[in-house]
Structures are given as C-alpha cells and as structure tokens.
C-alpha cells in the first residue's frame, strides 16, 4: 500500500462511526482466523478478548477467548488442517459456490469476480484459491466498511454485497463449523460468526425498513 493510500485509509476510518469500525474489525478478525492457522500472537490476542454476558455475541466471544487461552499453536494448526485442508480436502469446503450450488467455481464465484472488479478489489498475487472463500469475503466486507478499496461503502452498498455474496450461505457455513467433528477452537469461531451474521442480516433488514 502506498503512503497516499495509507493516508486515504486513515482519513476514511476517521469518518466512520465507532459502531461501523467495530463491525469492520470483527469481519477482519474472522477473516484472519479463517485464512490460516492462528499464530501464537493471534491466539494471545484472541485470549485477551472479553464479551458482554448480556448479548449472544458477547457470550460467543467470551467462550472463544476462554478456549484460546488453553490452545497451543501446534494443536490449532492440526485442527485447521483437518477442517479446511485434509488429505485431498478438509471436513468443510468454505466456498460460496459449494454451499450455494454443490460445486466449486460456479456462478456465485463469477458474480463475485464481477463485483470485485467494479469495486476495485483484486486477489493478492500469492493467493491461489477461489475468491469466494469465507476468509476472503470477511476481509472484503471489512474493507468495504472502512474504505480499504476506495471510499467507505454506503450502507446500501454494504447491504447489496452482503445479501449477494455472504448472507445466503455464511450463516450455514458457520453453523457447520460450530458442529464439525474436528472443531475445538473453531467451534467457538463458528459460534461468533453465526451470531454476527444474524446481527448483520437483521441490521440490514431494519435499515431497509427504516428507509422505506
């Protein structure tokens, strides 16, 4: 990222409401956890989180924090590999195309690539898996909110992207992750993701009603 882009991103973030910044941070956090096995530093960061016991999301975050305190990097790497890589394939296939059509590299991926191009998003050169994987979509949504790909997206544009590429399947994926036989730490990641997707879907629904 150039110095000018960094300044633009910093200025854009300064104009974002605290609530939206927190939403983006949670999208980014889920994206990092789902992209690769967490390092010792990320596990320590996760272990330091606290959650409000009065809300479903707070309870899920607190549970994730408790498990992270007792998780070693080597153990979570084995867990990640069993869930997402495996011998040939992992227990779960975290791709929109697979969840929506039963096959990889289908119409949902083509649709996402068109929307990525329209928004100035490009796949990193060292990433080879399809762009419709859950980690990338979490990162994209966080970036749309904060303006990482240009100006911060309007609520309407966020809603369109979410309802097209995330809402139809991510909740199902996170539910599967929560219940997967190889999930330990990632069962709690699944719970956080599932509840967060429910909150986001409801928030977008209410915003539509409010503007009607």
């Amino acid at each position: 990222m150039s110095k000018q882009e960094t300044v633009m991103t910093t200025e854009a973030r300064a104009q974002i409401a605290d609530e939206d910044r927190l939403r983006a941070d949670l999208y980014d956090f889920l994206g990092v956890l789902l992209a690769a096995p967490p390092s010792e530093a990320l596990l320590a960061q996760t272990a330091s989180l606290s959650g409000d016991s009065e809300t479903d999301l707070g309870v899920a975050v607190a549970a994730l924090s408790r498990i992270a305190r007792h998780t070693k990097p080597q153990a979570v790497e084995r867990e990640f590999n069993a869930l997402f890589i495996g011998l040939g394939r992992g227990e779960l296939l975290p791709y929109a195309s697979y969840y929506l059509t039963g096959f990889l590299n289908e119409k949902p991926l083509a649709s996402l690539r068109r929307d990525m191009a329209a928004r100035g998003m490009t796949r990193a050169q060292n990433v080879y898996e399809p762009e419709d994987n859950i980690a990338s979509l979490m990162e994209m949504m966080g970036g749309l909110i904060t303006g990482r790909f240009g100006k911060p997206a309007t609520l309407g544009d966020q809603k369109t992207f979410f309802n097209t590429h995330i809402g139809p399947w991510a909740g199902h994926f996170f539910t599967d992750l929560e219940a997967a036989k190889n999930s330990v730490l990632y069962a709690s990641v699944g719970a956080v993701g599932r509840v967060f997707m429910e909150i986001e879907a409801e928030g977008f629904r209410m915003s539509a009603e409010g503007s009607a």
Side-chain angles (χ1 to χ4, degrees):
M1 180 179 289
S2 69
K3 183 176 180 181
Q4 182 179 7
E5 287 173 323
T6 302
V7 171
M8 289 174 63
T9 301
T10 302
E11 290 176 349
R13 283 183 65 87
Q15 300 171 5
I16 298 168
D18 288 344
E19 179 183 351
D20 289 331
R21 192 174 292 112
L22 289 171
R23 289 173 55 228
D25 287 346
L26 185 47
Y27 273 114
D28 287 337
F29 179 62
L30 287 169
V32 170
L33 284 173
L34 291 162
S39 63
E40 189 169 359
L42 182 54
L43 280 174
Q45 178 187 351
T46 305
S48 70
L49 297 174
S50 59
D52 179 2
S53 62
E54 305 266 326
T55 67
D56 290 342
L57 183 58
V59 169
V61 168
L64 174 59
S65 175
R66 285 195 302 273
I67 294 175
R69 287 180 211 135
H70 303 287
T71 301
K72 302 296 183 185
Q74 298 85 349
V76 77
E77 182 174 0
R78 289 192 296 271
E79 180 183 342
F80 184 93
N81 289 340
L83 286 166
F84 304 121
I85 300 174
L87 295 173
R89 57 160 285 185
E91 185 177 351
L92 300 176
L93 287 172
Y95 302 95
S97 289
Y98 180 77
Y99 268 81
L100 296 174
T101 72
F103 300 94
L104 296 174
N105 302 314
E106 288 292 326
K107 289 182 180 179
L109 176 58
S111 172
L112 174 63
R113 285 174 172 166
R114 286 193 298 271
D115 279 354
M116 288 176 63
R119 291 172 169 82
M121 301 178 188
T122 57
R123 182 169 65 176
Q125 292 184 351
N126 61 338
V127 175
Y128 303 103
E129 63 179 326
E131 296 91 326
D132 63 340
N133 70 84
I134 190 69
S136 293
L137 285 166
M138 294 294 100
E139 180 186 354
M140 290 178 207
M141 194 69 191
L144 284 173
I145 296 169
T146 59
R148 201 154 57 230
F149 309 109
K151 292 182 179 180
T154 64
L155 189 61
D157 196 28
Q158 292 175 38
K159 177 185 174 182
T160 297
F161 189 87
F162 180 90
N163 285 346
T164 302
H165 303 295
I166 298 174
W169 75 282
H172 187 185
F173 163 77
F174 281 120
T175 298
D176 288 347
L177 182 59
E178 197 175 359
K181 68 177 183 180
N182 288 298
S183 281
V184 183
L185 177 78
Y186 278 92
S188 290
V189 175
V192 171
R194 173 181 56 77
V195 174
F196 184 42
M197 294 301 98
E198 291 170 357
I199 291 170
E200 286 287 276
E202 179 64 11
F204 287 129
R205 186 187 66 78
M206 291 180 66
S207 71
E209 290 182 354
S211 61

